[in-house]
């Protein structure tokens, strides 16, 4: 039998985690022969609720689940972690500006970065889901100086999945026929969903699609999808976010399919003229649990402008949390 994988999940009593945990113990990420120990982190007020989730996990009698650790201490929760899903964050309250949200959450991710640095395996792969995800990931990474910077990422996979599905619906073809979609930049409404390099049934997407639809319908639809889900469902995306978190980690660990790529928010190395050291969503290919930014894609003026808009937002976010960056 394989040694159990230790998976840490923060915000474990929240709605995304509720959609994630049961898929983890069913083997949806690491396969049906990989035992799992779950390490669940919550704030003290939510521990009682999390104890209830733990009971339900146990009640699944899942053969892969070897243990469940519940804690309100990140140093305990991250102990020995191989994978960390940082989902827990404070939601935006009434009258709260994005700037206020940034500040409250920045402190959380500084603490958790330090805890990962102290407690997790040196190879821990970290995915930040909690918003503002890019900048939270940057803070966590800066506060974990002994861990490889390339092992920190944030989630734009939900945006990528949304983009793929919009194209598939518009072209009336299966999602599997849509390849090489890109989400550039921030997980926010400034993100740039780019179809200039996308393929539909192996042919350039923009040869098949009307430009008007691309610019005026597709781009804003993907950028604003999260808000529209909240308006429609009355709650923010949960199952689709958990699904995207699994897709992100699975591709990172096991590789992207031949002929395709994915989008991940990772530390910029300056590729495509983006300021180095920002957490920026790029097209990436993955192999042997490592990612590489897809290089040499042509960026026209339309795309360049949009890349600059989302980069400017990330630079402003970084300025607002500068005191937490080492
Ligand atoms: P919920 O409010 O249902 O759950 C969040 C949980 O985090 C709560 O149980 C809360 O007690 C816990 N928490 C708060 N501070 C914590 C801390 N310091 N340590 C540990 N746990 C803590 O939110 P949910 O719908 O699960 O969403 C979680 C986060 O994901 C939010 O920030 C949300 O904005 C973000 N999202 C990010 C997405 C992405 O694509 N990157 C998409 C979905 C989602 O909007």
């Amino acid at each position: 039998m394989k040694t159990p994988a230790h998976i840490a999940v923060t915000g474990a009593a929240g709605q995304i985690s509720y959609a994630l945990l049961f898929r983890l113990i069913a083997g949806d990420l690491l396969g049906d022969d990989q035992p799992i120990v779950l390490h669940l982190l919550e704030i003290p007020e939510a521990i009682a609720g999390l104890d209830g989730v733990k009971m339900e996990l146990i009640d699944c009698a899942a053969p892969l689940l070897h243990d469940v650790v519940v804690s309100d201490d990140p140093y305990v929760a991250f102990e020995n972690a191989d994978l960390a899903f940082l989902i827990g964050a404070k939601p935006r309250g009434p009258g709260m500006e994005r700037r206020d949200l940034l500040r409250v959450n920045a402190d959380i991710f500084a603490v958790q970065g330090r805890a990962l640095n102290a407690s997790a395996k040196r190879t821990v792969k970290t995915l930040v889901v909690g918003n503002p995800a890019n900048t939270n990931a940057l803070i966590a990474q800066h506060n974990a100086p002994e861990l490889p910077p390339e092992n920190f990422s944030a989630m734009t996979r939900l945006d990528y999945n949304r983009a793929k599905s919009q194209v598939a619906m518009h072209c009336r073809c299966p999602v599997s026929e849509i390849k090489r979609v890109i989400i550039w930049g921030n997980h926010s409404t400034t993100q740039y969903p780019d179809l200039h390099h996308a393929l539909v049934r192996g042919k350039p997407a923009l040869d098949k699609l009307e430009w008007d639809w691309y610019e005026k319908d597709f781009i804003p639809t993907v950028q604003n999808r999260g808000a529209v889900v909240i308006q429609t469902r009355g709650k923010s995306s949960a199952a689709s976010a958990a699904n995207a978190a699994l897709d992100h980690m699975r591709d990172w660990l096991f590789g992207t399919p031949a002929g395709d790529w994915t989008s991940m928010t990772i530390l910029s190395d300056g590729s495509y003229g983006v300021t180095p050291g920002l957490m920026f969503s790029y097209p990436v290919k993955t192999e042997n649990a490592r990612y590489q930014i897809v290089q040499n894609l042509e960026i026209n003026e339309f795309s360049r402008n949009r890349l600059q808009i989302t980069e400017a937002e990330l630079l402003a976010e970084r300025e607002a949390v500068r005191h937490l960056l080492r």
Side-chain angles (χ1 to χ4, degrees), residues 10-11 13-17 41-43 46 87-91 108 112 128-131 133 155 158-159 187 236-237 241:
T10 78
Q15 56 154 4
I16 295 177
S17 296
L41 180 71
E42 259 298 348
I43 51 174
I87 299 173
K90 275 243 156 59
I108 294 176
Q112 293 185 359
V128 174
V129 175
N131 278 320
M155 192 165 94
L158 179 53
D159 309 294
H187 169 67
S236 56
S237 305

Side-chain angles (χ1 to χ4, degrees), residues 202-242:
K203 300 267 168 12
L206 289 182
D207 289 355
K208 291 197 162 225
L209 300 165
E210 318 75 60
W211 180 263
D212 238 36
W213 177 80
Y214 170 57
E215 185 181 2
K216 303 212 173 89
D217 191 337
F218 169 80
I219 293 177
T221 296
V222 176
Q223 288 173 327
N224 295 300
R225 184 72 165 180
V228 175
V229 168
I230 295 175
Q231 275 165 22
T232 311
R233 192 174 95 93
K235 291 179 190 165
S236 56
S237 305
S240 58

